[in-house]
Amino acid sequence: MLEEAEKLIADQCRDKTAAAFVSGGGDSMCLLHLCAAAAPGRFFVVTVDHGLRPEAAGETLFVKEQCDRLGVNCEIYRADISALAKSTSESTETAGRKFRRKLMAEIVSAGRADVIFTAHHADDNAETVLMHMLRGSGGRGLTGMKTADGFLVRPLLSCTRAEIDAFNAAHGIKFVTDPTNADSRYTRNFIRNEVLPLLNTRFSATSALNRLARAASADEEFIGRFISREHIRCSDGEVRLAEAAFSEPALAPRYVFEAMTLMGAEDYDSVTAARAIGLIGCGAGKKATLAGGITAVRDYDGIAFYREAAKNDAATPFTGAGRYEKFGMEVAVCAPQAVKGAQRFDLNAVPDGAEVRYRRDGDVFRPFGSGGKKLKEYLIDKKIPARIRDKLPLICYNNEVLVVCGVEISDRVRLKCGSAAAEIVFTGETPWKNLK
C-alpha cells in the first residue's frame, strides 16, 4: 500500500506544490520520507507547536532537523491552543484541529501550496468511524475520511499503522512519541488503545470499519442528490433551512448536518439533528442550543442557525449625508423621488440631536402612512426574527425611531416637495433580507 501512497504523492505534485503537515510522530515522518522520495523540490513541511506540552518545542525542532537533513524547507508555527479552547468552550483537541484547518486554508488561499498532505491512515479512519458510530452521528458520520477532500489529500489513508511501522523500521526512520497518546482519558486514545485492539482480537475490525466507511460514503453521495439547495439559504452569518427541508424524515437530519457544516461546526451528531428538527413543531422564536456555540431558532418559515451576538450599544450623532462605518452603511444624497426598493427620506425632517444606534427599550415607530406603535410590535408584525432586531441600525430622535435602516422610514421623514433627499445604502451585509 505504501507504493500506492508514493505514487499518489508523485501524481499530486506533478504540476502542483504541496505542504506536508508533519508532527514528528511515526506516521508523519513516514509521510515526510515518502514525499522526499516521490516529489523532491515540489513540497515543503509545516509543523505546529500547539503549546500544550513542554516537549512540543523540541519536537518541532526535531522535525526541522530531519527536514534540513533531507534538504526540505520546514516552517514552524506556534499557537496557544489552551487559550483558544477556553475562548470557544471547546476541547483542546477540537481547537487544535480547527487551528490547523485554518492554517491549511490560509496557506492554500495565499497561493503558497495547491494541496495539503496529512498522515492520516487506515487505523485513524477506523477510529473516526467507530467514534462517530458511538456518538450516533448517522450515515454521514460513518463516511469517515476521504483520500482527497478539497485541497486536503491523505496519501496514507489506505495504509495500516502496522505497514507504516514496518516501513519506518526497514528504513531506519527516526520519530518522536507523544506521551499523551497513551492517555486513554481522551476518547480517541481510549478507542485506539483499548477498544479497537480488543475488537481486532476477534474481528478484522480496522478493515471492516474502513469498508463500512466506503459503503456509507457511496450511500451518502447517492442520498445527497435528493438534497435541494433551494431549501438552504446563507445570509448575514447565518444559515436558514426552509420548512420543506423537514418534510422527509430521512433527509431532515442531513439538512441539519449541512447547515452545521456551513456554520463551521465539526462535532455534531444525531442528538444535534433531533434538537433542531424538534423546533419544527414549536412556535416562532423557540430556540435550541447546538454544538459549536450554534443556536437553532424556529423562524416564521423554517429553522435558522446562527451564533448569538452580544447586544451592541454603539451610538453616534446623526450628521446628515456621509458614511457611518460602525453600522456598515452610508446616507447618500439622491434625487427627491421615491424609487421602489430604495429607502429614501427627507434629511431636513430629521431633528437636530438625532443619532444612529441600535434599538432600546421604549423605542416607538410610526410607519409611513400609519399610526405609531412600539418598535418591538412593529418588528414582530413585519416578521423580523428576534435575533435580527438588534442588528438593525436606526436613526432616532430620543425614543422616536425615524428610520429602521433596511426596512422602512417613519411618516415623519417621508419625502415631500422640496425635500433634501437621501437614501440608506449598506456598505456591508444588509442586516435584514426577507428570504421567503
Side-chain angles (χ1 to χ4, degrees):
M1 290 297 184
L2 286 168
E3 292 82 0
E4 292 182 11
E6 189 170 345
K7 182 179 183 303
L8 176 57
I9 291 169
D11 290 342
Q12 286 289 329
C13 293
R14 198 175 310 282
D15 55 358
K16 299 176 183 176
T17 298
F21 272 59
V22 176
S23 66
D27 311 330
S28 64
M29 294 306 292
C30 173
L31 175 65
L32 168 60
H33 282 76
L34 288 174
C35 287
R42 299 296 300 169
F43 80 103
F44 62 94
V45 163
V46 173
T47 188
V48 179
D49 176 356
H50 296 84
L52 296 173
R53 297 178 293 109
E55 306 94 337
E59 291 168 1
T60 57
L61 291 178
F62 166 78
V63 173
K64 188 171 189 317
E65 289 170 0
Q66 297 302 307
C67 287
D68 290 344
R69 189 175 64 81
L70 293 169
V72 176
N73 182 43
C74 177
E75 299 178 1
I76 298 176
Y77 291 83
R78 293 179 174 84
D80 187 347
I81 297 300
S82 292
L84 284 174
K86 186 176 181 180
S87 68
T88 57
S89 301
E90 295 173 317
S91 67
T92 54
E93 184 180 19
T94 298
R97 184 170 64 250
K98 286 187 174 181
F99 174 83
R100 293 190 300 274
R101 280 295 188 117
K102 182 173 182 288
L103 178 57
M104 293 174 185
E106 288 173 351
I107 289 172
V108 172
S109 64
R112 301 184 54 237
D114 303 296
V115 294
I116 302 291
F117 289 150
T118 65
H120 295 107
H121 49 72
D123 293 71
D124 291 327
N125 197 33
E127 294 161 10
T128 298
V129 172
L130 185 56
M131 189 161 56
H132 287 173
M133 183 188 302
L134 295 172
R135 287 176 175 171
S137 64
R140 185 167 182 163
L142 300 183
T143 62
M145 305 176 189
K146 297 178 181 178
T147 300
D149 187 5
F151 59 71
L152 184 59
V153 177
R154 303 179 176 95
L156 302 178
L157 198 59
S158 62
C159 307
T160 65
R161 183 178 287 116
E163 290 173 319
I164 292 169
D165 290 344
F167 178 88
N168 287 345
H171 293 81
I173 295 174
K174 297 179 180 179
F175 56 88
V176 295
T177 301
D178 181 349
T180 63
N181 287 342
D183 188 349
S184 291
R185 289 177 300 176
Y186 296 101
T187 300
R188 182 175 287 276
N189 288 348
F190 172 66
I191 290 174
R192 175 182 299 158
N193 301 330
E194 300 185 37
V195 177
L196 263 178
L198 179 60
L199 290 174
N200 278 320
T201 62
R202 182 161 297 193
F203 311 98
S204 298
T206 299
S207 176
L209 288 166
N210 276 274
R211 291 197 305 272
L212 174 62
R214 289 191 292 272
S217 183
D219 289 347
E220 285 299 300
E221 184 178 349
F222 174 76
I223 295 172
R225 298 173 192 169
F226 297 93
I227 298 294
S228 172
R229 306 312 298 184
E230 293 181 359
H231 298 335
I232 306 171
R233 300 188 183 182
C234 304
S235 177
D236 308 324
E238 66 180 46
V239 178
R240 293 160 57 104
L241 296 180
E243 198 156 339
F246 300 90
S247 60
E248 172 51 61
L251 294 179
R254 290 172 168 84
Y255 276 107
V256 174
F257 293 155
E258 182 68 17
M260 293 292 288
T261 299
L262 290 170
M263 287 296 299
E266 294 185 356
D267 295 325
Y268 45 82
D269 53 25
S270 57
V271 175
T272 298
R275 285 177 181 162
I277 295 168
L279 294 173
I280 284 294
C282 302
K286 181 68 174 178
K287 298 179 181 180
T289 300
L290 308 181
I294 296 170
T295 297
V297 62
R298 179 66 161 105
D299 252 357
Y300 298 102
D301 60 346
I303 305 292
F305 299 76
Y306 68 103
R307 287 185 170 85
E308 297 275 6
K311 188 173 177 62
N312 194 332
D313 294 323
T316 191
F318 180 78
T319 55
R323 294 175 72 91
Y324 294 82
E325 299 289 355
K326 290 181 182 178
F327 302 89
M329 70 177 203
E330 179 181 1
V331 175
V333 174
C334 64
Q337 291 94 29
V339 174
K340 187 176 181 179
Q343 201 174 9
R344 296 186 172 186
F345 63 99
D346 184 359
L347 278 176
N348 291 336
V350 179
D352 292 339
E355 63 180 354
V356 182
R357 61 171 172 82
Y358 295 101
R359 73 182 181 127
R360 298 173 185 166
D361 290 341
D363 283 342
V364 295
F365 182 60
R366 184 157 58 100
F368 182 81
S370 178
K373 61 174 63 178
K374 291 181 179 179
L375 177 65
K376 180 178 180 180
E377 293 175 355
Y378 165 78
L379 297 175
I380 291 173
D381 290 345
K382 294 288 288 186
K383 295 189 175 181
I384 295 178
R387 68 188 181 281
I388 302 294
R389 296 169 199 165
D390 289 331
K391 296 168 64 177
L392 295 170
L394 310 172
I395 299 176
C396 304
Y397 180 68
N398 297 324
N399 71 331
E400 180 186 1
V401 178
L402 306 174
V403 181
V404 183
C405 301
V407 182
E408 192 170 352
I409 65 170
S410 76
D411 194 71
R412 178 170 176 170
V413 296
R414 70 184 187 277
L415 289 177
K416 310 178 194 69
C417 182
S419 293
E423 67 177 298
I424 303 295
V425 179
F426 284 98
T427 54
E429 284 279 4
T430 304
W432 166 241
K433 299 172 185 174
N434 191 335
L435 299 177
K436 292 182 184 177

